Each structure stands twice: as structure tokens, then as C-alpha cells.
Amino acid sequence: MAGEHRDDLVMQSLLLDEIGQSVIGMDGDWRITYWNRASERLYGLAPDKVLGLKITDLGIIGGAEVRGGGATDREIANRVARGGDWAGELWARHSTGREFPVHATVSRIRGRHTVPVAVVAISKDITDRKHTEAILRRLSAMVESSGDAIIGADLTGKITSWNAGAARMLGWSSWEAVGQSHGLVTADDGAYFGTEVTSGSGSGAFVTGVESRWRCKDGSVIDVELTVSPVYDQDGIRVGASAIARDITEIQRLKAVADAERERLLAAQEMAHVGSVEHTVATGETWHSEEFDRILGISAGDRKDREAILARTHPDDRDRVRDVWQSLDHGLGFADFEYRIIRPSGEQRWLHSRIRSINGADGTPVRFLDTVLDITDRKNAEQILEWQARHDALTGLPNRYMVTEVLQNFLDRTARPVVMFVDVDRFKLINDGIGHGAGDMILVQLGERLKAAVREGDTVGRFGGDEFVVICEGLQMCGAQDLAGRIREATRQPFDVDGRQIYLNVSVGIALADVEDTAESMLQGADAAMYRAKSAGGDSSAIYDVRMTGRATGRLDLESDLRLALDRNELSLNYQPIIDVSTEGAVGFEALLRWHHHEHGPIMPDAFIPIAEETGMILPIGTWVLREALRQVQQWRTQVPGAENFTAAVNISGRQLVAGDFPDVVEAAIRDTGIDPAAIHLEITETVLMDQPDLPKETLQRLARLGVGLSIDDFGTGYSSLSYLKWLSARTLKIDRTFVEELGADPHGATIIELVLGMAESLRLDVVAEGVETAVQLGELRRLGVRLAQGYLWSKPLPAERIPAWLRSHPANVAAAISAPVAAGRSAGEPLPRVG
């Protein structure tokens, strides 16, 4: 029978053996009677080692103590003994001691078989399945614990899965979401889940980095980043899609803030002309910011490496830029330098570059960060400031600093230069007469004439005011005198100022270099020689030679000597008569200050009066002039027959008028001299009044209460208004000599005088014409109705001791007291400035 029929158990065992399942047959005592090849492979025991042994003797069944919760051999045996079957998982042990999980079925066998079997145990190694299950469990836990939303959907867009992250992110629980349409998370203003799942992955491709906007349960909208992948069934058919959504709302907000900040930074860079450059050492790649491209004029398609930058660098700066880059490549670490670039248009720009290296772990540079600032405007400003520091702002000529530098350079190379000081005679009169603006125009023209008069290569500079300096090389004394003569001749031609021709003269001081001379000593020598030329009457030149003269040098010595002039009795007054035009008799006097230096002789007023005003010495000198003039005129009033009503006035400076104690000084002079205050008039030029817009009202009121009059000198050269004259309580207007000079030659002069007379009549002011020198001028003044005048036609300024004799030779038709000033300054007939 055994040969003809195969036993069912054996057949089943063979089939199970093919699929790797262990089949173990046992008799009623649990002794092994059958052991297939799969059992041998599973447990590592050959049939001849196990047949006849109890299965419990093999140690292939793990105990509960090894794996908690597993079935034991005793539990299985009891179950089978009671007639039942057992199926489940338990831990088995290989002959090598390795433990592994198996799924086993233990059943009692009934019937007869060729192999005596009472119990059969079928088992299979489920290690792989357990591993897969563990992985799935971990994946499931990860899905549930993920902070991202992980959502599945079928091909119709119906949600099939919804993890805890989705519930936390969107607000719906899984039981609320699963089965719903993708429209659950649709946002009105952006892409939504259904589109990305059904369309984005419709081709079966994996899609990542998709940004969308989703709606939450509470109605809020969030930004999400999606990763979408297709889902397939066991047969490989696509059945849906799965999406992982990450909430990037905060990231998007920060990105928006960063973008706005970047835009502000780019705008700030553009406004500040600051560009950025990054250079990567390994690749040689160079990145430029947009502003850097604008600075260099780089277009979108242009190269942006180092060589491209070098090609736009100024040729004179390329080697320096290349050297800096090489030093950085070799570990310099930091560089700060300036260079020029040339734009495609040919425009040159200055750049300031700050480069910092970023090093790798080995300390070698891997990247360079360069901040580039367009400093063209600053460079241009520096050049302008440098030019201004070395040049005169008005004339554009070299200034004192540059002249001194040029002169010292000559001396350093023993070139034996010649220095000439050129100063305008009576320039204060020009400023007071036609205004400072016109005076500046004359100075500009004078500078041009000096440059035209000197030789090529000579230097013409301006020291300030009306002082110019000429520096020459290779001139002897005769050549220097000839050049000084050409300079004086060039300045004698009239200067055209607003249609008016102005004539002037200059004084020239010459200093020739000595072996021990410095630039400062030569300039002082030329300055001293110039003042000597002015002291001789002006319009001349003088040579300074320290070996021959030993005279005082320059303005500093004049200032020092002027401080002692009062104590040395070197100051004195000359007087010029003021004439009644109808009778040509004297009605008063104008006083003129003179300085007779104990070494240099007469010093012209225009040489020392500016010094007195600048240093404040005009205050004590002015007080002395006031007292001396009033004393002398009062003496004539009391001692000279016919002079009882003579008037006197003193020219005062702006500094005197604004001094707080000036009314006290005037009152003391009146009291000490005993003169009638009505005979006194204080004279101040119209231009000085315009420079003192805030005259102390209390001072003017006190002077008016004293009975002292105020005269406006050089009237017509400034811009006084009628209201201003009335406010000043002026008594006299003195017509400037420039208008008188034009009488009989230019009808313009008569027109101005007529206007002044009309103004004076409306304000009830007296008028005095200055600078009358010809009979023609006198005739015109009479025709116009001018009552008072002064000038060389009648007398030059005279010392006080000669006035009585002059009066005897010019009998005065003494009139009532007039408003004619006696001034400590220039006379109306001489070309000298006001002094006092």
C-alpha cells in the first residue's frame, strides 16, 4: 500500500517544504517522527539528529523568560492534549543560539499514516514580516508625530488619510477631514490641495517645493510648502496621491521682511553709491551687486570676473589694484584702498574699496567680500578744498600759503628770487566811494593785469585786501625796478566798473634775496619797502635792503609803532576849510589826521588807519582826535576875528559809534573844550553806516540831546533810504567827490547831485560838495544851488599854525553855523581816505 499510495501528510509536507515552511511530525509522546528539509534549514538541525527525540529536548522553542508574552511548549502541549489546536506566534531558537520569530500551527493528527504521527507542527520564519511591521509602525508613529501635515487623497480629490500634524495645523480632526473633498482646505487667493494632488502628480512624477495657501478651520489662511507623490495599489495602478504640507507662514513673513530689508539696503546702496562684490577663490567666480554694476557701467551681458574689473580700472591704478589682490590671495586678510575706474562713456570715477577675506579651516582664503563706495564727489570736493586752501577765493590767484611755499622752494634751491609787494593807493576810498562789490571787481581786474605785466613763469598771488605779491626768478636790481615800472604803468589804465571808469595807482615794494633770507623775511622786507613807497606819496616803488637800511619791516612794526604814536606825540591834525560857495569865505574846518613816524617820516593815512581799526586802537586815537579838533576850532572861535561861528566835526569809525561809552567821550570833550555843541558834527561814511545795521538807538538819542549833529560822508556811494536818514537824525549830506569830478564833463554827475539836493531839501538837511578843484566845478555847483563845498580849489589841508594866516588872506564872510563836519580823515581835495 505504501508503494501505491502516498500519504497525505507527506505530500503536504513536501509542498510546504517548497515554500520554506517547517513541518515536524510527532507521536503521542511528542517524539519527532518526521522532519522535512525546511525544518533542517529553519532550525539548523539535520533529521538524523532529531528523529526519536522529544521536541522539548531540542531547545528550539523560546521560553517566556526570553521573550515576554510568548507561548511556552507546556502551554502548547496542554492545548493539544485537550484535543484542541494551537496557532500563533512564538520565538524559536536556531542551533547557533539565534532567536527569531515564527508563526506556528500545532494540530493533532487523526487517521492512519505511513509515518506514525500523532501531532504535527507547521511553522514559518516571520522575521522579515516582523521587520516590515516594525518599520510600518515606526513610519506610522513618525507620520502621527510629524509637525507637518501628511494627507492622502484618491484620484477624485477625496481625502483618504489625515495625520495628527494635519489636525494641529489646519484644525480639523481626522474623522472630520477623511472623506471630505479637497475643497476643505482650498484658499480663495492661492493654489490648493486638490490641484496639487490630482494635477501636480497626475503624471505620476514626484513633485516637491510647491508653495500654496491653505485655509484653516478657523478661517485663517496659511502658507504651506508641498511635497506630492503618487500612491499605487498592489497591482501598480495609481490610486491617488499623498502630500506632505509644511507650514511656512512665518518663513514667508520673515522672507517678506528680508526682501523689504534687501530692497531698502539696495536703495540705500544706490543712494550712497555703495556696491558689493564677492569673489570665490576656488572657482574664480565673482558676484557684483546692482549698484556696483551701475558704478562701473557694467551691462547684463558683460563679464564680471577680476579681469573685467581690471579692464575698467584706470591704467595708472591697475598695478596697485593687482598687487592688492595678490596680497589678499596670499593671506593679507584685509585691504583698504582707493582707485579710479573709467566707465564705457569715458567718465572717470573714484572708488574706495574695503576687502575682507573669509578663510577656510586651513586658514587659507576661500572667499573675499568687497564693499565699494563711489567717492568721486568727495574727491572732487577735496580737490576743490585743496585748491581753495592754496588760492584766493576772489581772484583765483595763489594765496599767502602758496606764495610762501613757492618762495621757499626758490630759496631752498638757491635760486635767489625777487619778491614784490603791490598795494593799491587809496583803496579804502574806492571801497567807500563805489562800494565793496565794485572794489572786488577792480581787484579781479588788477590781478589779471599783473599776470599780463609779469614774465611767463613768474608767480602772481594775493595776500588779502588790496595787497598782491609777485615772485620772480633771475632778476637783478635793475630788472626788478623795470618790472615794477611796468606793473605801475599797467595799473594806470582806467578800470571799467559798471560803466564807470576808475583810475588808481599802486605802490610797489621790492626785496631781493640775501644768503640768509627765508620766505618770511623776504615777504616782510617787500612789505616794508612797499610802505616806504606809500609814505613817499604813493605811485612809486622802493627797494628793501637790510644791509643798507635797517629800517622797520612791515605791518607788524607799523602796528607796534602805532601803539606808541600818541605817547611820542607823532600824531597831528591838519585842517581844510569848508567854503560858502556864494562868498567863497570859510565857515568851518575839516580836520585830517597825520602821522609823522620818528624814523620813516610821514606815514599815509591809508597805511595806518586800517591797522588802527583792525586792532581797536582807533578808539583811543579817535578820542584824542575829537578832543584836539574841538579844542583847536574853539580856540579860533574865541581868538580869531570873524571866526565866532566856525563849525567843526570829527569823522568817527563804526567801532567808535557802537562803543557803549562813546556819548560819554563826546560829552567830556564838549565840557573840557567849552565849544558850543551846535558847532559839532560827527561824520561817518554812508558805507560804514550800511555795515552797521544795528546802531545803538540810545547812543544816537544821547548825541541828539547833546545838540551834536551827524553828517553822512561820501553820500551817494551806498544805499541809504530816506527813512534811515530820518531815523539817524542826520543834519548834513556830503556829496562824494566822484560825482563832483564829473561836473562839466558828464551830465550824469549833475543829475546825481540834483537828486541829492532834492532829498536833502525834503529832509531839511544841509549839503556839502567835496573835492572841488576847478572853477568849472564851482560854477556848476552854484548853478545847481549847492551852498557849501571844500576842495583844493581853495586850500589843501594845513597845519593848525598856518590857518590864521590863511584866514587873513581869504577874508571870511562868516555865515551862521552850518552842518559841515570836521573830520579826522582825508580832505575833500586830496586823494586820501577818511581817518578818525
Side-chain angles (χ1 to χ4, degrees):
M1 293 289 295
E4 296 178 358
H5 302 283
R6 294 189 61 83
D7 186 87
D8 292 339
L9 178 61
V10 174
M11 292 296 295
Q12 293 174 3
S13 174
L14 293 174
L15 292 174
L16 294 174
D17 188 56
E18 292 298 324
I19 61 175
Q21 290 196 13
S22 166
V23 179
I24 303 174
M26 293 168 285
D27 60 14
D29 295 328
W30 300 91
R31 295 182 182 277
I32 298 173
T33 58
Y34 183 78
W35 186 270
N36 70 346
R37 289 193 301 274
S39 300
E40 183 178 353
R41 292 192 299 270
L42 185 61
Y43 297 108
L45 297 172
D48 59 348
K49 298 293 185 180
V50 299
L51 292 176
L53 298 177
K54 287 187 177 181
I55 193 169
T56 55
D57 296 335
L58 300 180
I60 62 174
I61 300 176
E65 68 279 8
V66 179
R67 299 287 181 179
T72 64
D73 52 359
R74 183 178 300 278
E75 291 173 350
I76 296 172
N78 291 336
R79 180 70 175 270
V80 174
R82 290 196 298 269
D85 297 334
W86 182 90
E89 297 177 0
L90 72 159
W91 284 87
R93 184 182 294 110
H94 193 269
S95 61
T96 60
R98 176 178 61 87
E99 295 184 351
F100 54 93
V102 297
H103 184 275
T105 301
V106 182
S107 304
R108 179 176 292 279
I109 300 299
R110 298 172 180 81
R112 297 185 61 180
H113 304 280
T114 57
V115 178
V117 176
V119 178
V120 64
I122 301 173
S123 59
K124 181 179 181 179
D125 188 346
I126 59 173
T127 300
D128 292 341
R129 194 190 79 189
K130 285 290 187 180
H131 180 66
T132 301
E133 289 175 353
I135 292 175
L136 290 175
R137 283 194 300 274
R138 287 197 297 272
L139 288 175
S140 177
M142 290 172 62
V143 167
E144 287 302 307
S145 62
S146 173
D148 298 333
I150 302 176
I151 304 170
D154 60 19
L155 294 178
T156 66
K158 183 181 294 185
I159 298 172
T160 58
S161 63
W162 186 273
N163 76 332
R168 288 191 297 270
M169 182 185 299
L170 300 169
W172 289 285
S173 64
S174 59
W175 63 267
E176 290 177 307
V178 171
Q180 296 289 331
S181 168
H182 57 69
L184 182 69
V185 295
T186 298
D188 294 336
D189 57 349
Y192 51 89
F193 174 79
T195 300
E196 302 301 340
V197 171
T198 60
S199 300
S201 63
S203 62
F206 180 81
V207 181
T208 186
V210 177
E211 293 184 1
S212 180
R213 291 176 65 79
W214 281 6
R215 183 183 62 204
C216 300
K217 184 177 181 179
D218 60 7
S220 62
V221 177
I222 62 173
D223 295 297
V224 296
E225 183 181 67
L226 297 174
T227 299
V228 184
S229 58
V231 175
Y232 300 92
D233 63 10
Q234 294 179 349
D235 298 327
I237 299 174
R238 186 167 59 85
V239 296
S242 175
I244 301 175
R246 174 163 296 173
D247 186 350
I248 59 170
T249 303
E250 180 63 16
I251 295 175
Q252 292 292 75
R253 186 189 68 80
L254 294 176
K255 181 181 178 182
V257 172
D259 288 343
E261 186 65 27
R262 180 176 178 273
E263 289 299 322
R264 285 194 294 270
L265 177 60
L266 291 176
Q269 284 189 345
E270 182 176 355
M271 288 187 290
H273 298 297
V274 177
S276 301
V277 181
E278 294 185 18
H279 176 75
T280 303
V281 175
T283 63
E285 183 180 3
T286 303
W287 173 86
H288 300 168
S289 69
E290 293 179 1
E291 181 57 23
F292 183 81
D293 290 349
R294 279 192 290 269
I295 292 173
L296 264 70
I298 294 177
S299 302
D302 293 342
R303 290 172 51 198
K304 297 187 177 182
D305 53 14
R306 278 184 171 182
E307 291 303 317
I309 297 176
L310 207 59
R312 295 179 185 264
T313 301
H314 192 286
D316 295 342
D317 296 340
R318 286 176 186 168
D319 288 342
R320 182 155 53 92
V321 173
R322 191 181 287 109
D323 291 343
V324 170
W325 286 348
Q326 290 177 354
S327 299
L328 289 165
D329 291 341
H330 288 86
L332 178 63
F334 179 80
D336 190 321
F337 63 105
E338 298 176 356
Y339 64 99
R340 292 163 291 176
I341 58 96
I342 300 178
R343 287 177 170 174
S345 63
E347 179 188 8
Q348 176 180 295
R349 307 294 293 181
W350 273 96
L351 306 184
H352 179 237
S353 179
R354 286 176 173 266
I355 306 178
R356 180 173 60 88
S357 66
I358 297 177
N359 298 332
D362 59 354
T364 59
V366 296
R367 195 154 53 106
F368 295 106
L369 303 180
D370 186 3
T371 300
V372 180
L373 174 64
D374 187 335
I375 59 171
T376 305
D377 293 341
R378 193 196 78 191
K379 278 290 186 180
N380 291 339
E382 287 176 354
Q383 291 176 358
I384 292 173
L385 290 175
E386 182 179 356
W387 188 92
Q388 291 176 342
R390 300 167 64 86
H391 292 80
D392 174 56
L394 177 64
T395 64
L397 297 174
N399 61 9
R400 179 188 296 265
Y401 173 80
M402 188 173 179
V403 165
T404 304
E405 186 180 75
V406 170
L407 180 56
Q408 191 61 52
N409 287 337
F410 277 126
L411 294 171
D412 290 343
R413 52 190 178 88
T414 64
R416 304 297 293 272
V418 173
V419 177
M420 298 185 185
F421 246 88
V422 181
D423 188 87
V424 180
D425 298 332
R426 306 179 309 280
F427 191 70
K428 185 176 185 297
L429 175 63
I430 294 173
N431 272 338
D432 291 345
I434 60 177
H436 290 277
D440 288 345
M441 294 175 63
I442 291 177
L443 292 176
V444 173
Q445 295 180 40
L446 178 58
E448 294 298 325
R449 292 196 189 182
L450 292 177
K451 288 195 296 182
V454 302
R455 306 168 306 167
E456 184 177 356
D458 292 343
T459 299
V460 177
R462 181 182 178 220
F463 254 38
D466 59 334
E467 291 183 341
F468 291 81
V469 177
V470 178
I471 301 176
C472 310
E473 183 182 9
L475 280 181
Q476 301 300 321
M477 184 177 296
C478 290
Q481 288 176 321
D482 290 343
L483 179 57
R486 292 200 303 272
I487 289 173
R488 286 163 44 216
E489 186 63 32
T491 59
R492 289 195 180 102
Q493 300 302 316
F495 291 80
D496 187 10
V497 180
D498 295 332
R500 173 185 290 180
Q501 289 188 331
I502 304 298
Y503 293 84
L504 55 82
N505 299 317
V506 297
S507 297
V508 182
I510 305 170
L512 285 74
D514 195 10
V515 176
E516 298 180 355
D517 264 329
T518 64
E520 190 63 30
S521 67
M522 288 199 69
L523 291 169
Q524 288 181 354
D527 190 25
M530 180 268 294
Y531 276 105
R532 182 167 179 78
K534 295 182 82 68
S535 299
D539 191 20
S540 63
S541 61
I543 295 178
Y544 175 79
D545 188 342
V546 68
R547 294 169 298 178
M548 296 172 57
T549 63
R551 294 186 177 93
T553 57
R555 187 181 299 263
L556 287 177
D557 293 317
L558 278 180
E559 180 181 328
S560 299
D561 290 345
L562 184 59
R563 295 181 183 275
L564 302 174
L566 276 175
D567 295 336
R568 291 173 175 171
N569 295 320
E570 294 178 355
L571 299 180
S572 62
L573 295 179
N574 284 0
Y575 297 88
Q576 186 177 44
I578 300 172
I579 303 299
D580 185 327
V581 171
S582 61
T583 64
E584 295 191 61
V587 295
F589 286 91
E590 178 183 8
L592 305 166
L593 180 62
R594 295 293 182 259
W595 181 16
H596 191 89
H597 194 278
H598 65 285
E599 290 185 8
H600 305 313
I603 305 294
M604 303 306 289
D606 62 350
F608 69 85
I609 289 299
I611 297 175
E613 291 179 343
E614 292 171 6
T615 60
M617 292 166 58
I618 195 67
L619 297 178
I621 291 176
T623 299
W624 177 85
V625 169
L626 176 66
R627 296 174 64 88
E628 177 62 19
L630 298 187
R631 183 197 65 76
Q632 183 62 70
V633 172
Q634 177 63 10
Q635 180 180 332
W636 291 331
R637 284 164 58 96
T638 57
Q639 297 179 4
V640 176
E644 297 83 6
N645 294 319
F646 277 177
T647 59
V650 178
N651 188 326
I652 58 175
S653 72
R655 295 190 67 162
Q656 287 178 275
L657 192 59
V658 299
D661 63 344
F662 183 64
D664 297 329
V665 172
V666 175
E667 186 175 7
I670 294 173
R671 182 178 62 250
D672 294 343
T673 59
I675 194 170
D676 182 358
I680 303 170
H681 294 272
L682 305 177
E683 182 178 332
I684 188 166
T685 63
E686 184 181 22
T687 52
V688 171
L689 285 176
M690 295 302 96
D691 291 338
Q692 299 287 345
D694 299 320
L695 292 174
K697 187 175 182 179
E698 176 62 26
T699 295
L700 297 174
Q701 291 175 344
R702 285 193 59 189
L703 293 175
R705 288 196 297 270
L706 288 173
V708 174
L710 185 66
S711 297
I712 311 302
D713 193 18
D714 298 338
F715 189 77
T717 61
Y719 304 94
S720 298
S721 65
L722 293 175
S723 61
Y724 193 61
L725 293 175
K726 187 175 182 180
W727 180 78
L728 288 171
S729 301
R731 290 186 185 176
T732 304
L733 300 181
K734 300 194 74 175
I735 300 173
D736 185 65
R737 60 180 293 135
T738 56
F739 303 117
V740 175
E741 290 173 351
E742 296 173 352
L743 290 177
D746 187 346
H748 177 71
T751 301
I752 296 296
I753 293 175
E754 287 176 338
L755 292 174
V756 173
L757 288 171
M759 180 186 297
E761 183 177 358
S762 66
L763 295 175
R764 298 182 179 180
L765 302 176
D766 285 321
V767 174
V768 178
E770 297 181 295
V772 181
E773 299 183 0
T774 68
V776 173
Q777 293 170 352
L778 175 60
E780 283 293 299
L781 291 174
R782 285 173 174 169
R783 182 184 66 81
L784 294 170
V786 176
R787 189 169 69 89
L788 302 172
Q790 63 185 102
Y792 278 14
L793 179 63
W794 296 285
S795 175
K796 291 183 178 181
L798 299 174
E801 60 270 17
R802 292 177 55 185
I803 293 299
W806 184 89
L807 288 173
R808 287 192 297 271
S809 62
H810 296 77
N813 184 5
V814 181
I818 64 169
S819 303
V822 177
R826 68 164 173 83
S827 74
E830 65 177 354
L832 298 173
R834 287 281 177 184
V835 179

